[in-house]
Structure formats: structure tokens, C-alpha cells
Amino acid sequence: MDFTFTEEQQAAVEAARAVFSDVAPDRAPSPALTPGAVAEDIDRQLWNELARTDLLGLTLSPAHGGVGLDPIALCLVLRESAKVLARIPLLESCAVATAVQRYGGSTLAAELLPRAGRGELILTVGANGRSGHDPAELAVTARPYGENGENGKNGKSEENGASAEHSGWVLDGVQSAVPWAQAADWIAVPAHTAGGRPVLALLPRTRDGVTLADQVSTSGERLAEVRLDGARVAAHELIDAPGCWEWLRSLLTTGTCALALGLGERVLAMTAEYTGKREQFGFPVATFQAVAVQAADRYIDLRAMEATLWQAAWRISSDAGGPLPTAADVAVAKIWASDGVRRVVQTAQHLHGGFGADTDYPLHRFHAWAKQIELSLGPAAAHEEVLGDLLAAHPLG
């Protein structure tokens, strides 16, 4: 496999590194010392800087004011953002914008994408459903407006495209743990119709029928329970193109794997620096075999996380076929990222000794963020089961 990146993708990495070079992981209060959320808002200064350098429009076409790169480039930038624990909805906003560009109509794209690329509009998405255990689209129902007697068109079935086109849709349900929802301007909500079709609705956070209840992540960042009670969306604000939600969910997952990789690489570098300076019996502890072997094992984890990440990102970016569906590559990336990021931070804490728990040292912040990423991805065993089902359904050879 050739994972050589294009000149444009490498330029995006260099631009990201320049922006993130001045970001300290302790820019927000420590989650270990702060009851509740560490901050009320995202890092607006950093968000504006990303907009100034065109990194928010990385995957948008030039027609919408973007750079025209692919999800691989986005994952490269996400990898850099995780190294400094950037408190921004870069993944969610860019992923939703890319899905709108790929599957949405021209009216919705014109309304959202240029402003999103300029950083004037923040997008987020509810991908966890009601509890995080069931498919997110099952947590919200979408029905054509007028189906239950509301003012508007008469109650025709969802299969009648004309009715839905003129009257819009009504959403009911709950999406839990929606990241950065309080700071977002629009929220993408996966839902299902009466016929069981998954759809993706986009609506402003302030629309009638939308209420937010505060939740707090393991990393100390604000999440929200988004409750929809008869919230209306216009016909052009709902994307029912086949495969839209599945594609967006895969991109969100792969982007989370990129965050896990970047965080793990920074933590291993911190560990190497610390053990190279910390001495016992007159020698740096990094020279002790027990320490070196543990660090080497974590390096192997990171390389496996990297290879599986780029394989999944390539499948999503290129729509390339293969013996297994793209979901299989995403599952493999999740297996390595979920277990790998946990092992990296646990080993780092162990090799740092008590210093790793010092709240004046940033390692404990990385540990909290790694745990949040691990929880977001879910247990590796569940992804192995998904992979097994795919293998059974698509026999190789």
C-alpha cells in the first residue's frame, strides 16, 4: 500500500502545524480541577485562525469558497489538532459540510457551505442516538408535515414526494451527547422515516421545537442532549439521498480515529522526552529494557492505528471498491484506535510515575481526552463483531 500524500495534502498539514504551533494544551482549565465543563465556548481565537488560513473549507469545492481537497486531508489536519487538544468542532463542522456538498441540494449547499468555510457558521451532528448503543437514526422520527393533521398539506404518505417537497418535515426524538452543540449554529440530525429510511435533517439550534440540556464529556467539554419536539424542517433541509447518513457516520468515525492517532503520537513523544531525562541509578530510565519494551509496543500500536486509518480514509475519499465494504475498513480502524489510544495513555501514565497525575503537567489532560475518544469509538470487541458479520456476508476467496 502506498500512503504517500499529495503536495496539496502535505501543504494542508504544514498550514495546520503553523496554526496549532501556538496552541497550548492547557489553554482551558483542567478537567480534573473544574466541576462541570471546563469552558462555556469553543476556542474562538483558534477557530478564526483556521478560517483565515482556509482550513475550515478544506474539503469544500472552490465553487463554495473551499480548497477542494478530500477527507484524507481533513484527517491529516485533525491528527495535528489532537496533538494540542484543540477545543474546536473541526471534525463535526467539516464532516457535515462535506456531506451536504456530496448529498445535499443546491439550495442547502448555497445556504450553509460558503459561510461554514469562512468560519461564520458552525455545524455539528448528533451521532450517538438516545443512549449511544443503538443506531443514531433510530432515535429520531421524521414525518412529512401535515401527516398528523398539522396545518399545511394533507396527510399523504412519505412516498409521495410532492407532499414532502411542499410541506417539509417534522422531527421528534432525542440525540444525546451532541458535541459543541451550544456553540453550533446548525445541527445535523439523523432520523428515520415511517418506511425505515435513514435521512439527515439540518436545522438551526434556535429553531422552535429544539431544546438543549447540558451534558459534560469525560474531557470536560460541553455536550448537549438535543431534544426535538415537533421541530419543523423545510424540504430542502432534509437529505434523503441513499447512503448519506452512512457515509457521514463513516467519516465521523474515521476522523475520530485520526484524533486518536494524533493524541497518541503526542503522548508517546512526551513519554520519550520524560524517560530520556528521568534518571535512576545514574542512567536515564529510557535505557532500561522494561521501559524500552513498553514504549516500543506502543509505537507498534500507533503504526497500526496509522495504517488502518489511512486505509479507511482512502476508501471513504475514493469510493474505491474492494472485497469487503468500506464499513469493514472503518471497523478495523476503530478496533486499533479504540484499544490503541487507551494502551498508549495507560503506558504513558505508568512510565511517568506520579508525575503523570500532576495537574501542572499536561499528561492528565491527554488521558482524559483519550478516554473520551475511546468511549466515542466504543469497545474494540463490538467492532470485531461487526467485522465478523461483514466477513460472513462477503466471503473472501
Side-chain angles (χ1 to χ4, degrees):
M1 292 180 288
D2 183 5
F3 290 135
T4 303
F5 300 112
T6 66
E7 291 183 4
E8 293 81 4
Q9 291 167 343
Q10 292 171 345
V13 173
E14 293 304 318
R17 286 174 178 168
V19 172
F20 294 132
S21 62
D22 294 329
V23 179
D26 58 356
R27 187 177 277 192
S30 167
L33 303 176
T34 309
V38 297
E40 293 297 308
D41 198 8
I42 66 171
D43 189 335
R44 293 283 176 175
Q45 179 183 347
L46 178 57
W47 188 255
N48 293 335
E49 186 64 16
L50 288 170
R52 186 188 67 79
T53 53
D54 295 328
L55 288 173
L56 297 183
L58 198 64
T59 57
L60 299 181
S61 71
H64 297 123
V67 180
L69 298 185
D70 57 16
I72 293 176
L74 174 60
C75 288
L76 284 166
V77 175
L78 289 168
R79 178 188 190 177
E80 298 303 317
S81 75
K83 296 177 182 179
V84 296
L85 304 184
R87 301 184 50 261
I88 48 173
L90 180 62
L91 168 59
E92 294 79 12
S93 197
C94 290
V96 172
T98 308
V100 170
Q101 175 177 260
R102 182 181 174 102
Y103 293 99
S106 58
T107 302
L108 185 63
E111 184 177 1
L112 299 182
L113 301 189
R115 296 174 62 198
R118 294 193 298 266
E120 300 168 1
L121 201 68
I122 295 176
L123 309 174
T124 190
V125 55
N128 296 306
R130 183 180 293 271
S131 65
H133 298 291
D134 297 319
E137 67 272 19
L138 298 183
V140 176
T141 60
R143 69 178 189 277
Y145 188 66
E147 198 169 65
N148 288 349
E150 300 97 337
N151 293 330
K153 293 288 180 181
N154 58 21
K156 297 181 181 179
S157 83
E158 67 178 65
E159 304 305 329
N160 187 331
S163 174
E165 176 67 24
H166 290 291
S167 62
W169 297 79
V170 179
L171 304 179
D172 291 287
V174 175
Q175 291 287 345
S176 186
V178 179
W180 318 104
Q182 294 86 346
D185 299 291
W186 283 63
I187 302 174
V189 179
H192 68 280
T193 66
R197 287 187 297 119
V199 295
L200 184 70
L202 287 98
L203 68 170
R205 168 177 53 84
T206 55
R207 181 161 292 176
D208 290 345
V210 180
T211 57
L212 273 60
D214 279 354
Q215 296 175 320
V216 181
S217 72
T218 302
S219 58
E221 300 298 337
R222 292 182 79 188
L223 305 173
E225 179 189 79
V226 177
R227 186 171 294 275
L228 305 164
D229 185 11
R232 286 197 61 186
V233 294
H236 75 277
E237 294 172 339
L238 185 137
I239 304 173
D240 62 355
C244 174
W245 168 237
E246 291 81 358
W247 188 88
L248 175 55
R249 181 174 54 199
S250 294
L251 179 55
L252 290 167
T253 300
T254 304
T256 304
C257 293
L259 294 174
L261 175 62
L263 186 150
E265 288 176 329
R266 176 64 183 273
V267 167
L268 189 61
M270 292 169 60
T271 304
E273 181 181 6
Y274 176 78
T275 57
K277 294 179 179 178
R278 177 76 166 88
E279 291 189 358
Q280 284 186 351
F281 312 112
F283 297 94
V285 296
T287 63
F288 299 168
Q289 186 179 37
V291 173
V293 167
Q294 291 182 71
D297 284 342
R298 301 295 78 81
Y299 177 82
I300 293 171
D301 278 336
L302 290 173
R303 297 292 68 81
M305 291 166 64
E306 183 176 21
T308 54
L309 163 66
W310 299 131
Q311 173 70 11
W314 172 72
R315 289 290 302 273
I316 292 171
S317 299
S318 65
D319 293 324
L324 293 175
T326 301
D329 293 294
V330 175
V332 173
K334 291 167 72 174
I335 290 167
W336 279 102
S338 181
D339 268 0
V341 73
R342 171 180 50 80
R343 288 193 292 254
V344 169
V345 294
Q346 285 181 343
T347 297
Q349 288 282 13
H350 176 63
L351 296 182
H352 274 81
F355 199 55
D358 188 343
T359 54
D360 291 328
Y361 185 68
L363 182 59
H364 75 286
R365 296 174 183 268
F366 285 92
H367 199 159
W369 277 65
K371 180 55 66 174
Q372 178 62 35
I373 289 173
E374 180 191 355
L375 293 172
S376 298
L377 289 171
H383 313 319
E384 291 166 353
E385 183 176 345
V386 170
L387 182 60
D389 291 340
L390 289 169
L391 287 168
H394 302 82
L396 302 179

